[in-house]
Amino acid sequence: MMRIFYLIHQLLFLPHMLLYISSKNKNLIREDLYCKDVIPNSSFKVAFDLTRRLSQSKYFRTLFYFRTAGLFSNILRVFYPRDNRFTIDMHTKIDGGVILAHPYSSIINAKQIGKNLYINQLVTVGEKEGDKPTIGDNVKLYTNCTIIGDITIGDNCIIGAGAVVTKSIPKNSVAVGNPAKVIKTIEVVERSQENEVQ
């Protein structure tokens, strides 16, 4: 019985498919949707998974509306609201593959964010005197961390819970504390293109 209810609820989100189809950010939306999985080739599978995720997660809905900003998106938000406790500034540029690990009361206001951002609750990424952070690829932001000002967080960084970051962090680093300090360098194995072709 519950499965039928969820399916009916999911069908109510079919109008969002028009937003998806007309969006210039279709690839980013797919990367967000399948942030932990392989993107399927089937358009039907993508449509089914997208409407299900939109019906089940207001956090994902917030990200979807960010990707599809416009008049129709604003109209749908009236009937299918986003989560007001998770905010993404409309001027922020975010690549695909965003992993929303319960981003309750998180604010994202950056200049640029790379692919595969992982974000927990109570995270603040914001400006200081009009200057905003730049965040690289594969960065993890844990609970209650704060990143502000004209700084850069390099690729593959982990910002620990409660960290306050006001200075740039080099790539492949773990930073913790207030003020944040690098406590560890992560060894990232990068395979060359030659090794990938076998």
Side-chain angles (χ1 to χ4, degrees):
M1 186 67 180
M2 288 302 292
R3 290 180 67 181
I4 294 172
F5 171 78
Y6 286 130
L7 185 58
I8 292 170
H9 187 247
Q10 182 177 343
L11 290 173
L12 295 175
F13 284 82
L14 283 176
H16 289 75
M17 287 307 300
L18 295 175
L19 269 180
Y20 168 74
I21 291 167
S22 63
S23 175
K24 62 182 179 185
N25 292 321
K26 281 195 286 290
N27 288 338
L28 296 177
I29 293 168
R30 281 195 298 268
E31 289 172 15
D32 294 335
L33 181 62
Y34 298 103
C35 57
K36 298 178 183 177
D37 298 305
V38 176
I39 299 173
N41 292 324
S42 167
S43 296
F44 177 80
K45 171 79 170 143
V46 171
F48 181 84
D49 290 344
L50 181 59
T51 52
R52 181 177 60 186
R53 188 80 180 275
L54 286 166
S55 70
Q56 293 175 349
S57 173
K58 281 189 174 183
Y59 297 130
F60 184 81
R61 213 178 299 163
T62 301
L63 180 61
F64 179 81
Y65 289 143
F66 168 78
R67 300 282 193 208
T68 58
L71 178 61
F72 188 38
S73 179
N74 290 339
I75 292 170
L76 285 179
R77 281 169 56 174
V78 173
F79 301 99
Y80 312 93
R82 64 184 182 88
D83 194 304
N84 291 322
R85 300 163 300 177
F86 172 44
T87 305
I88 306 172
D89 181 79
M90 62 183 291
H91 300 295
T92 299
K93 295 177 182 176
I94 308 177
D95 287 344
V98 177
I99 300 170
L100 302 174
H102 186 61
Y104 172 83
S105 290
S106 290
I107 299 171
I108 307 299
N109 184 13
K111 191 183 304 178
Q112 173 77 44
I113 297 176
K115 62 185 179 182
N116 305 326
L117 173 71
Y118 174 96
I119 181 168
N120 270 152
Q121 66 269 29
L122 303 169
V123 168
T124 300
V125 177
E127 63 180 81
K128 180 181 179 183
E129 298 175 356
D131 294 321
K132 302 177 183 181
T134 299
I135 298 175
D137 296 338
N138 309 311
V139 171
K140 295 182 178 179
L141 306 178
Y142 284 97
T143 303
N144 201 31
C145 71
T146 301
I147 301 168
I148 57 171
D150 186 17
I151 63 173
T152 299
I153 307 299
D155 295 345
N156 310 310
C157 282
I158 296 173
I159 308 301
V164 177
V165 187
T166 58
K167 294 182 180 177
S168 293
I169 303 293
K171 67 179 183 178
N172 308 328
S173 298
V174 177
V176 299
N178 179 8
K181 293 181 181 176
V182 174
I183 60 164
K184 182 179 177 182
T185 299
I186 303 167
E187 188 173 327
V188 178
V189 178
E190 296 181 15
R191 298 189 310 171
S192 68
Q193 290 182 348
E194 295 176 16
N195 291 337
E196 289 179 357
V197 179
Q198 296 180 354

